[in-house]
Amino acid sequence: MPIREEIVSRHRDSVITRNSYGVLCIHTPDVQFADIDTNKEPSGMLYLAAFFIYLACVIVASTYMKSWPLFFALLFLIIGVVPMLGNILFNLEHLVLGSEDRLALQRIRDFSKHHQDWHLRVYRSPNGYRVLIMHKTFDPHEEDAQMLLQELRSDSIYVHMCKNQNCFRARVSPKPWMIGIKRLKPRPGVWPIKGERMSERFDWVKKYEIAAMNYTSCRFLEKLGSDQVDSKADFIRSLHDKYSSSDADLKIV
């Protein structure tokens, strides 16, 4: 599937593009990234559980009181009660099992323990973690590449994009709305755009790049596994770290 994004720069067989909402992304055909997003709010399953828990309580209470008016009165409150109950269940889940962030990082470390010949570089991202594989290159469709994404519970959209676009990608600049800048103009930002709109786009990019200097899209956290380094992976690592400012003490967005 063609990538409808402006190519900002080329680096051997990899490219940096500007996506439809204005951020820079690395696209590489064989150096694997894995993005792992963590839930910051209750999942749909937790809300569904909250719904059935409350509904059961309504049925029990109205049956015990033998009151249909009570049943409908309590049922009327379901819209307000279910979100509140969902948040309570979410907090209880964190108390019992640990936070989503901690569990995601533990999955990465457990993967490394079971694949000690792999070299993993782990980055903190705004919504979780990013893992860069350093010991060898991968085809996006090969079994080991898909196994890693599945075991680390990588974002499903990211997994599909890797397959459809036949490459791995990583965002290396901050999301504009997180740094006080509106989405890329003119909209939509799908490339190419009409020539008469280029000046508007150029003005947006200039404003965005000035603001983006004060932020990072990820921060290097730790290295796991072997010390083996593939030269192609190290080249992409250098490119990624430079564009993302992953070693700088900047706010992650």
Side-chain angles (χ1 to χ4, degrees):
M1 181 180 296
I3 301 172
R4 298 281 304 277
E5 298 176 8
E6 176 190 9
I7 296 177
V8 175
S9 59
R10 296 181 181 273
H11 306 268
R12 300 179 186 174
D13 60 354
S14 300
V15 295
I16 305 290
T17 68
R18 190 174 304 282
N19 76 2
S20 61
Y21 56 81
V23 306
L24 298 179
C25 298
I26 286 181
H27 302 256
T28 173
D30 52 10
V31 177
Q32 183 165 16
F33 289 93
D35 278 338
I36 302 101
D37 290 340
T38 56
N39 291 329
K40 305 299 181 184
E41 57 185 25
S43 64
M45 289 301 294
L46 272 182
Y47 281 126
L48 188 62
F51 171 81
F52 283 113
I53 289 171
Y54 182 72
L55 183 61
C57 291
V58 169
I59 293 172
V60 169
S62 57
T63 301
Y64 179 78
M65 298 298 294
K66 298 180 180 179
S67 172
W68 280 108
L70 178 63
F71 174 82
F72 288 111
L74 292 175
L75 198 62
F76 179 77
L77 298 174
I78 201 166
I79 296 175
V81 173
V82 166
M84 183 171 60
L85 184 56
N87 281 308
I88 292 172
L89 293 176
F90 183 66
N91 291 330
L92 286 173
E93 183 181 55
H94 278 194
L95 285 174
V96 175
L97 301 177
S99 70
E100 285 282 336
D101 283 344
R102 188 187 68 79
L103 293 173
L105 183 57
Q106 190 58 51
R107 280 196 299 272
I108 297 169
R109 290 170 175 168
D110 287 344
F111 179 92
S112 179
K113 288 178 183 178
H114 290 95
H115 301 83
Q116 294 184 13
D117 56 330
W118 289 49
H119 178 171
L120 313 181
R121 279 178 65 86
V122 184
Y123 298 81
R124 191 72 169 92
S125 65
N127 297 315
Y129 299 93
R130 171 177 297 166
V131 179
L132 171 58
I133 314 304
M134 296 292 295
H135 66 287
K136 68 181 289 287
T137 56
F138 295 84
D139 183 290
H141 297 272
E142 76 174 81
E143 184 177 342
D144 279 352
Q146 292 301 311
M147 177 268 294
L148 171 76
L149 296 175
Q150 291 173 10
E151 290 200 17
L152 298 187
R153 301 183 190 177
S154 191
D155 176 61
S156 59
I157 295 176
Y158 176 78
V159 174
H160 288 302
M161 289 181 71
C162 289
K163 288 182 177 180
N164 291 340
Q165 298 178 347
N166 201 34
C167 70
F168 301 102
R169 62 186 283 148
R171 178 174 64 86
V172 292
S173 70
K175 294 177 180 178
W177 57 89
M178 297 297 292
I179 61 174
I181 306 292
K182 294 181 179 180
R183 291 174 69 109
L184 177 63
K185 292 183 178 181
R187 296 184 65 183
V190 177
W191 191 260
I193 65 169
K194 295 180 180 179
E196 59 266 27
R197 307 300 299 274
M198 283 299 295
S199 61
E200 184 180 0
R201 183 184 177 96
F202 177 80
D203 290 342
W204 185 94
V205 169
K206 185 176 180 180
K207 182 179 180 182
Y208 167 77
E209 289 183 341
I210 292 173
M213 292 173 63
N214 298 313
Y215 301 89
T216 179
S217 58
C218 64
R219 181 177 297 121
F220 176 68
L221 184 62
E222 61 184 9
K223 173 256 181 190
L224 298 172
S226 78
D227 293 322
Q228 183 175 343
V229 177
D230 178 88
S231 60
K232 174 69 175 297
D234 196 47
F235 173 74
I236 295 300
R237 188 273 314 159
S238 176
L239 192 65
H240 169 271
D241 290 358
K242 175 185 174 182
Y243 272 88
S244 65
S245 301
S246 63
D247 293 325
D249 186 20
L250 299 171
K251 183 177 180 180
I252 307 172
V253 294

